[in-house]
Amino acid sequence: MPRGFAGADAPAAWPRLPGTPRPERAAASVSTLSGVGPALDKKLAKLGLRSVRDLLEHRPHRYESAVPERPIAELLIGEEAAIAGEVRSVSVRRPRRNLAIVSARVADGSDEIVAVWFNQAWLVDKLQPGTRVRLRGQLKRSGFQVRSYDLNGVAATADFAPVYPASEEVTPQRLRGLVERALPAARDLQDPLPAELKAAERLPLRADALWALHRPRSLEEGEAGRRRLAFDELLVLQVGLARARAGREAAVAPALGEPGELVARYRGLLPFELTADQESAIREIDTDLAREAPMQRLLQGDVGSGKTVVALYALLRAVEAGRVGALMAPTETLAEQHFLTVEPLCTQLGVRVALLTGSVKSELGGAQIVVGTHALIQEGVDLGELGVAVVDEQHRFGVEQRRALTSRTPSPGVNASRAKPATLSDGTAGGASGGVSGGAGLQGSAPHVLHMTATPIPRTLALTLYGDLSVTEIAKPPASRKPIVTSWVTAERSSEAYRRLRRHLDEGRQAYVVCPLIEESETSQSRAAEAEAERLRRAELRDYRVGLLHGRLRPAERRALMAQFKARELDVLVATTVIEVGVDVPNATIMIVQEADRFGLAQLHQLRGRVGRGAEQSYCLLISRPREELTDNAQERLQALVDSADGFDLAEKDLELRGEGQLLGTRQAGISDLRFVHWRADRPLLERARAAAGGLVDYEGPLADEVERVFAEPELAA
Ligand code: ADP
Ligand code: MG
């Protein structure tokens, strides 16, 4: 039968029109770009750059300024300028080890000059006589010191050339080239904004925004591009939160009524008066618990501000209503610490408590308060009728645990480290997240949930990330507490620091020594700590009882050690960062942090919070390498700790030092979203996104795809 007459058969696929977006091109691995082999691929992955899209969304942290292009004859000493010319000759010198100087004679019509590069010996081959170059740099006595250069065409030396966050392995220059190659794929990305919204908000096309971000002709153009991309991020976040909220509205929790006799006795048992902030936190919690809508409250307070006391109150409210209270911590050490704190009080109150971690499975039968790690929410654990769940340091939970958690408790969906509710893509009714169905232990109704965090985040940020989660802050620590005195000394004065530490020990106080941070593994970290404890036992702490706490100890050993330290059978606890949270020994009044420059600001603040927990004046001594060897950033971090003891201040500072999009306390790599938002400057933008999101909850199309991508995709583990 003859075939092929027009109209007889439609082809299986129509030919692609030129210019049709090809999303798969943007989604492809960076290795599909020319010049990216397996080695570079790995180095890029360390920067979180895995796909072409990642490169497109790699935000420059600044732009080069505009500089004049001058004839060589008119260069001024000290002025930053660009020159364009031809290489006449090139040579390399190595005056000492670790130093290579490349010099090239460059001529334009007006004159000739020697251009100088440091430590880029490989450039010699590329700068052969006759090569056309454009150089940006500064005329010094020794010649023209090159900051950036172009060998073919203008890119790096252009006015407003982007400067990318880079690593030692991948230079900003290299990244510029890669982004250049990725840019054509900007047209392949879907534009998530509905057209009407784009028009109403007067926002550019997404592809144009990306071009403007990477190739601005002015700073304003770059900023306009950034703002469009920030708007997308905020909108996606707000739509995701609105969906989660819609899913939660249906959930019902047991209304727990008025505070009763048990919590009254609890108050009576406490050896101190609650602070005003604690009282108001309790009032807010009581109001939440009286309702049938599940409580979703974030309790923020600095380390040692007295959150645990409030948390236990909430748990006891569940108990007196005949239900179970669960306290969940991200690590075994922290869970055990909580257990040690909570158990004696509960025993006095006649409340049965159980500890449940990966390695401790005590009898749950009849427990009224259960303390544990994520083991609590594992399959087959029957918690009975859960009334109140307290989730401590939720942002430290790993992805999987957070998923389990969000599908069992009506979580706010997003937490400080941007946990993604897993249920968005699971086809839950209306795409709603939050897992309102409850888990095995929840028996149909949802518990009231109190989230606790000691890494406070600025309130606007918290509201953005947690949607309509209510936020309570314990801003002031108990009045009896004196602010910790922090000093920063360099290593050559460490013997002085230890002398001070011994003075405290001689007065009957206890101390912590925190070992240097080692990136490699828990095992090498623990080994190094063992070696350091041995060294200290022979040297600085010869006459004292020294215990060693690290992550490789078995839980029983760790518990025994903590109990010994609490009972003052040990003078000093040498520890890795496992003491960062939860350890509570008021008699410990001094801490030495070795090689403090290796730690992050938030982490140091957390560590420091282990002292200053009693009425005595406490001290934190930060020891670092000599100042000259520290990066500016490290110096600022240490100075910030000396200057401020306020966690909220430090949170802002940390945000500033780490770049706007990075959230405090988020340790997992791969938390790459929200990279375009400037928290302070973009508040109005946030409001606009929030307003727009309300009408877009059920919107289908590219925006919905984007919401699912952001909320459902597991973060890549480090
Ligand atoms: P956080 O959990 O916020 O780090 P905790 O609840 O563990 O703080 O309290 C830190 C220390 O302060 C504990 O030793 C606790 O007993 C004590 N504490 C808590 N509230 C008060 C208060 N109102 N007055 C005096 N001490 C308090
Ligand atoms: Mg605590």
Side-chain angles (χ1 to χ4, degrees):
M1 215 220 284
R3 296 186 48 142
F5 286 104
D9 288 299
W14 295 102
R16 206 184 258 282
L17 292 170
T20 312
R22 290 189 286 162
E24 69 281 1
R25 215 164 54 151
S29 149
V30 284
S31 61
T32 59
L33 295 174
S34 67
V36 183
L40 183 54
D41 194 65
K42 275 215 194 76
K43 293 172 188 168
L44 288 170
K46 283 194 209 159
L47 282 166
L49 303 172
R50 293 177 177 82
S51 65
V52 172
R53 178 181 179 146
D54 291 338
L55 275 173
L56 288 171
E57 296 179 346
H58 195 47
R59 179 164 75 85
H61 61 80
R62 65 179 179 86
Y63 297 99
E64 297 288 8
S65 52
V67 298
E69 183 173 312
R70 297 215 185 271
I72 291 174
E74 291 172 26
L75 282 173
L76 306 169
I77 285 266
E79 180 197 42
E80 187 165 346
I83 56 173
E86 198 181 291
V87 177
R88 288 287 153 81
S89 66
V90 65
S91 64
V92 61
R93 287 187 299 130
R94 296 179 189 279
R96 56 183 163 84
R97 219 164 58 85
N98 297 332
L99 182 61
I101 303 176
V102 172
S103 309
R105 298 195 71 78
V106 174
D108 64 4
S110 73
D111 204 348
E112 216 178 68
I113 198 169
V114 177
V116 183
W117 286 260
F118 293 100
N119 287 334
Q120 298 178 62
W122 50 272
L123 266 174
V124 170
D125 294 336
K126 308 221 162 188
L127 291 168
Q128 288 308 303
T131 311
R132 300 280 321 164
V133 290
R134 189 173 194 273
L135 309 176
R136 170 195 272 257
Q138 229 181 2
L139 181 60
K140 294 265 175 82
R141 265 172 237 296
S142 54
F144 189 78
Q145 282 195 8
V146 179
R147 277 190 53 187
S148 57
Y149 57 90
D150 298 312
L151 296 173
N152 316 292
V154 175
T157 62
D159 291 348
F160 316 115
V163 182
Y164 296 99
S167 63
E168 274 170 25
E169 297 175 326
V170 191
T171 61
Q173 183 95 1
R174 191 105 189 245
L175 282 167
R176 223 178 256 144
L178 289 168
V179 172
E180 185 82 18
R181 268 168 270 166
L183 262 176
R187 308 252 169 248
D188 294 320
L189 284 172
Q190 287 195 319
D191 193 327
L193 290 198
E196 316 83 77
L197 183 60
K198 220 159 12 203
E201 295 286 339
R202 299 162 154 270
L203 291 166
L205 294 173
R206 187 171 171 89
D208 292 342
L210 286 167
W211 278 86
L213 182 80
H214 296 294
R215 291 275 205 83
R217 282 164 302 187
S218 66
L219 290 181
E220 294 72 49
E221 204 177 88
E223 169 65 7
R226 181 198 68 77
R227 285 165 54 81
R228 156 68 218 258
L229 298 165
F231 185 83
D232 287 10
E233 287 182 335
L234 291 167
L235 183 71
V236 165
L237 181 62
Q238 295 301 319
V239 169
L241 289 169
R243 287 180 166 202
R245 206 140 61 217
R248 270 208 313 270
E249 264 153 29
V252 176
L256 298 184
E258 294 287 302
E261 173 268 344
L262 180 61
V263 289
R265 276 198 289 135
Y266 170 59
R267 282 166 171 281
L269 269 184
L270 292 173
F272 42 72
E273 296 279 307
L274 294 178
T275 64
D277 283 354
Q278 284 170 325
E279 287 291 359
S280 74
I282 281 175
R283 262 196 310 280
E284 288 174 335
I285 289 169
D286 280 335
T287 311
D288 289 348
L289 295 182
R291 297 207 190 105
E292 274 202 331
M295 169 167 76
Q296 280 296 334
R297 185 168 289 280
L298 172 68
L299 180 60
Q300 297 203 117
D302 221 334
V303 279
S305 61
K307 294 180 300 298
T308 311
V309 175
V310 174
L312 182 53
Y313 175 91
L315 294 171
L316 291 170
R317 289 291 324 271
V319 173
E320 65 183 12
R323 288 169 186 270
V324 172
L327 171 53
M328 194 162 123
T331 64
E332 294 204 349
T333 317
L334 188 49
E336 286 156 14
Q337 276 307 307
H338 278 313
F339 182 73
L340 289 179
T341 312
V342 161
E343 199 220 25
L345 280 162
C346 287
T347 308
Q348 290 180 69
L349 292 167
V351 171
R352 292 183 299 281
V353 207
L355 174 66
L356 188 80
T357 65
S359 41
V360 184
K361 298 244 156 42
S362 58
E363 251 328 295
L364 281 189
Q368 293 160 294
I369 291 183
V370 186
V371 181
T373 55
H374 57 270
L376 274 187
I377 48 160
Q378 248 137 38
E379 289 306 320
V381 177
D382 186 358
L383 294 179
E385 282 198 63
L386 196 56
V388 172
V390 174
V391 184
D392 194 12
E393 300 292 345
Q394 186 190 184
H395 65 275
R396 286 163 176 268
F397 283 88
V399 178
E400 289 311 311
Q401 291 94 298
R402 285 198 301 243
R403 282 171 174 257
L405 180 72
T406 46
S407 64
R408 279 189 177 215
T409 62
S411 146
V414 178
N415 63 44
S417 68
R418 312 265 302 97
K420 324 263 168 96
T423 41
L424 265 183
S425 56
D426 295 345
T428 340
S433 110
V436 289
S437 55
L442 309 187
Q443 310 205 338
S445 87
H448 295 283
V449 182
L450 183 68
H451 306 265
M452 283 202 294
T453 178
T455 41
I457 49 181
R459 183 180 278 263
T460 28
L461 186 49
L463 291 174
T464 310
L465 296 176
Y466 291 85
D468 63 348
L469 190 78
S470 333
V471 180
T472 299
E473 283 171 7
I474 300 189
K476 283 176 67 177
S480 58
R481 197 110 8 107
K482 299 192 180 68
I484 301 161
V485 174
T486 301
S487 1
W488 166 24
V489 298
T490 49
E492 68 266 27
R493 288 177 54 197
S494 77
S495 58
E496 220 171 288
Y498 279 98
R499 208 168 316 132
R500 260 169 86 181
L501 183 127
R502 287 193 298 267
R503 226 168 28 236
H504 281 250
L505 301 181
D506 293 339
E507 287 164 10
R509 308 270 159 225
Q510 290 162 287
Y512 300 103
V513 175
V514 179
C515 291
L517 190 64
I518 294 172
E519 294 296 339
E520 293 139 45
S521 68
E522 187 93 43
T523 311
S524 43
Q525 173 87 40
S526 302
R527 288 230 181 84
E530 272 164 17
E532 181 57 17
E534 260 328 296
R535 193 192 66 77
L536 288 168
R537 278 181 188 128
R538 284 195 307 267
E540 284 93 338
L541 303 175
R542 201 163 37 238
D543 304 321
Y544 303 90
R545 298 163 299 174
V546 177
L548 172 64
L549 182 68
H550 61 67
R552 299 273 290 173
L553 291 182
R554 278 196 297 274
E557 295 172 320
R558 222 181 307 159
R559 252 199 316 281
L561 192 67
M562 283 315 305
Q564 264 185 301
F565 190 59
K566 254 194 161 146
R568 302 195 188 185
E569 291 162 18
L570 292 170
D571 303 305
V572 184
L573 208 52
V574 175
T576 60
T577 50
V578 296
I579 62 154
E580 202 179 328
V581 277
V583 172
D584 185 14
V585 178
N587 190 47
T589 53
I590 186 163
M591 164 178 286
I592 286 181
V593 183
Q594 298 181 340
E595 297 187 29
D597 49 289
R598 289 177 179 240
F599 295 86
L601 179 47
Q603 200 172 24
L604 284 171
H605 181 60
Q606 290 278 317
L607 283 168
R608 176 169 66 176
R610 298 309 109 215
V611 293
R613 301 179 80 84
E616 293 303 314
Q617 178 63 59
S618 289
Y619 299 85
C620 175
L621 311 177
L622 306 171
I623 301 183
S624 81
R625 290 174 293 162
R627 270 175 201 250
E628 317 78 77
E629 287 180 28
L630 301 181
T631 62
D632 289 352
N633 207 297
Q635 296 195 36
E636 282 197 53
R637 279 200 305 272
L638 296 176
Q639 194 56 45
L641 281 151
V642 172
D643 294 342
S644 175
D646 181 304
F648 290 85
D649 272 3
L650 291 172
E652 292 259 1
K653 184 75 186 171
D654 198 36
L655 217 51
E656 211 174 275
L657 286 176
R658 291 158 44 127
E660 296 272 354
Q662 300 251 353
L663 302 183
L664 189 76
T666 58
R667 315 179 122 185
Q668 285 96 343
I671 297 165
S672 48
D673 10 16
L674 293 179
R675 57 185 99 183
F676 297 109
V677 178
H678 285 172
W679 290 108
R680 274 177 286 260
D682 287 344
R683 276 176 204 182
L685 202 63
L686 169 61
E687 287 313 314
R688 278 158 56 192
R690 210 201 285 259
L696 293 169
V697 177
D698 299 320
Y699 180 86
E700 301 289 332
L703 178 65
D705 296 346
E706 192 58 17
V707 172
E708 299 226 338
R709 193 184 74 86
V710 169
F711 277 79
E713 187 183 80
E715 287 157 15
L716 292 156

